């Protein structure tokens, strides 16, 4: 019996997974609002959060200054972390389904590098335009062009061997594309030394924001990505049986694949444009979801989106507190988690990898 069929026969278990994911998101939000250089009581923070709901009035006991820290400083950052983490995890799960490859990830496929090169080019051509203080609308659009170009190039290189396409071939193609795009990025930085500090800070990944600007910027792209990918998540289950079988079931494999790749690349580009290069979330979260909830993308994708946001929110708390008052780039923290996890996944899939 397939995981999808099993899920249909166990609706209570599926509801339990989603309820657990929602609880994880709520706990991550409270932690993100409560902990930082100035830590606050989590229960009081939760009460302050409930007080923001329409028709709800609760005295949280926080001072006016503490309430301002929660609602004006940390809440936009937490919402941004939920959106970025959710988009990266959703995109990672989608890439794994499209390529039928458990190692597919926005970074390993070169998608993030393509978006990064495009954003670097925009910054270099417009010195003084801060990625965190004045994002123009052209930045996420440029990132999308770079992302879709990179994943297309990786796919073409990975498919160069014809139908005999292995896990290793695709990943090596992604590594080659990432290296090439990183070289282009380095060249641009060397030609525009005035922007090196700004771009370098962005490259390491960060969620610093002084308001809701970045949230408003990424929100439309996140909504489009989530709607398109989740609406077509059942097609990934059909694609998993092979193109010929999928076609016999009435699906147009290439059309579905291009649509899902475009949506996943749009979400990745939007996340990269506001947060920089934050790696491994698209690898870690879908894999953990697959371990506990089975291999049906009908379940994997929405759970990955929820838990990806929760994971990045908690990671951001670690980045803000472990070396306080200094702040560690969040991309460094995710790399500490992600690199060992990648090795573990590579070992568990070694039978399918041809090196």
């Amino acid at each position: 019996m397939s995981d999808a069929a099993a899920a249909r026969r166990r609706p209570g278990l599926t509801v339990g997974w989603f309820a657990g994911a929602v609880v994880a998101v709520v706990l991550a939000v409270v932690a993100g609002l409560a902990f930082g250089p100035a830590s606050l009581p989590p229960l009081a923070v939760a009460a302050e959060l409930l007080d923001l709901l329409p028709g709800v009035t609760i005295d949280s006991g926080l001072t006016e200054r503490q309430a301002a820290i929660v609602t004006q400083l940390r809440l936009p950052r937490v919402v941004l972390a939920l959106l970025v983490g959710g988009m990266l995890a959703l995109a990672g799960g989608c890439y794994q389904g499209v390529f039928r490859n458990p190692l597919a990830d926005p970074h390993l496929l070169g998608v993030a590098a393509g978006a990064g090169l495009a954003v670097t080019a925009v910054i270099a051509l417009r010195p003084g335009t801060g990625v965190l203080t004045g994002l123009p609308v052209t930045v996420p659009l440029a990132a999308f062009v770079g992302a879709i170009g990179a994943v297309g190039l990786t796919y073409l290189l990975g498919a160069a061997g014809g139908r005999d396409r292995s896990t290793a071939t695709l990943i090596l193609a992604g590594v080659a594309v990432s290296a090439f795009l990183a070289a282009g990025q380095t060249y641009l930085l060397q030609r525009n030394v005035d922007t090196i500090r700004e771009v370098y800070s962005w490259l390491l990944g960060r969620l610093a924001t002084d308001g809701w600007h970045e949230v408003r910027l990424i929100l439309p792209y996140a909504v489009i990505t989530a709607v398109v990918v989740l609406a077509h998540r059942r097609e990934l289950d059909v694609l998993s049986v092979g193109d010929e079988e999928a076609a016999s079931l009435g699906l147009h494999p290439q059309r579905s694949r291009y649509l899902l790749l475009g949506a996943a690349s749009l979400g990745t580009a939007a996340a990269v444009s506001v947060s920089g290069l934050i790696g491994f979330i698209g690898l870690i979260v879908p894999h953990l979801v697959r371990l506990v909830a089975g291999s049906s993308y009908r379940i994997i994708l929405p759970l990955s989106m929820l838990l990806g946001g929760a994971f990045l929110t908690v990671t951001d708390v670690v980045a803000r507190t472990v070396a306080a008052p200094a702040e560690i780039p969040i991309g460094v923290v995710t790399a500490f988690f992600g690199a060992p996890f990648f090795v573990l996944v590579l070992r568990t899939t070694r039978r399918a990898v041809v090196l």
Side-chain angles (χ1 to χ4, degrees):
M1 184 170 56
S2 68
D3 292 309
R8 283 195 295 272
R9 296 190 178 189
R10 293 179 293 169
L13 185 57
T14 302
V15 172
W17 289 329
F18 281 101
V22 171
V23 170
V25 170
V26 172
L27 292 177
V29 168
V30 173
L33 296 175
F35 301 117
S39 293
L40 302 171
L43 291 179
V45 168
E48 184 68 24
L49 202 58
L50 290 173
D51 188 56
L52 297 176
L53 298 176
V56 178
T57 302
I58 298 178
D59 182 10
S60 65
L62 295 179
T63 65
E64 185 175 344
R65 178 175 175 274
Q66 291 173 326
I69 291 175
V70 171
T71 60
Q72 298 178 24
L73 295 181
R74 293 182 181 171
L75 187 56
R77 181 165 180 152
V78 167
V79 174
L80 185 64
L82 291 174
L83 290 173
V84 171
M87 285 302 98
L88 292 176
L90 182 67
C94 186
Y95 287 133
Q96 289 166 19
V98 168
F99 293 116
R100 285 181 287 174
N101 189 321
L103 296 177
D105 167 86
H107 277 69
L108 295 177
L109 293 176
V111 183
L117 175 60
V119 173
T120 301
V122 170
I123 296 172
L125 293 174
R126 299 184 63 184
T129 302
V131 292
L132 301 174
T133 58
L135 273 171
V137 177
T138 52
V139 170
L141 293 179
F144 175 65
V145 173
I148 202 70
V151 72
L153 183 58
T154 298
Y155 181 74
L156 290 176
L157 291 175
R163 292 180 179 273
D164 187 23
R165 200 167 55 234
S166 70
T167 299
T169 302
L170 187 66
I171 296 303
L172 290 176
V175 171
V177 170
S178 294
F180 178 77
L181 296 175
Q185 197 171 39
T186 302
Y187 173 78
L188 277 178
L189 291 175
Q190 290 298 324
R191 298 282 296 177
N192 300 272
V193 292
D194 294 340
T195 63
I196 284 181
R197 175 173 294 182
E198 181 181 0
V199 175
Y200 183 70
S201 174
W202 171 81
L203 284 176
L204 294 176
R206 56 183 302 178
L207 292 171
T209 175
D210 56 1
W212 293 94
H213 178 74
E214 286 79 9
V215 173
R216 288 194 294 267
L217 186 70
I218 190 178
L219 188 59
Y221 303 99
V223 171
I224 294 172
T225 299
V227 169
V228 173
V229 173
L230 295 181
H232 294 81
R233 66 189 188 279
R234 296 175 187 275
E235 296 180 9
L236 289 174
D237 287 332
V238 179
L239 287 172
S240 66
V241 301
D243 285 5
E244 293 182 0
E245 290 82 356
S248 68
L249 294 173
L251 185 69
H252 193 299
Q254 286 302 94
R255 186 168 56 197
S256 298
R257 189 169 283 118
Y258 291 148
L259 177 64
L260 288 165
L261 281 179
S265 299
L266 177 64
T268 300
V272 169
S273 67
V274 297
S275 66
L277 302 182
I278 300 175
F280 294 106
I281 292 180
L283 177 69
I284 295 174
V285 178
H287 265 286
L288 293 179
V289 171
R290 187 177 288 108
L291 285 176
V292 299
S295 58
S296 171
Y297 287 95
R298 186 171 59 87
I299 307 299
I300 290 175
L301 293 182
L303 280 181
S304 294
M305 188 173 66
L306 289 172
L307 294 176
F311 177 78
L312 189 60
T313 302
V314 174
T315 304
D316 185 46
V317 173
V318 175
R320 283 188 279 128
T321 57
V322 72
E327 183 175 320
I328 299 175
I330 194 168
V332 174
V333 180
T334 59
F336 275 124
F337 289 111
F341 190 85
F342 175 75
V343 174
L344 179 64
V345 174
L346 187 62
R347 286 177 59 85
T348 58
T349 58
R350 62 187 183 278
R351 293 181 181 178
V353 177
V354 181
L355 293 172

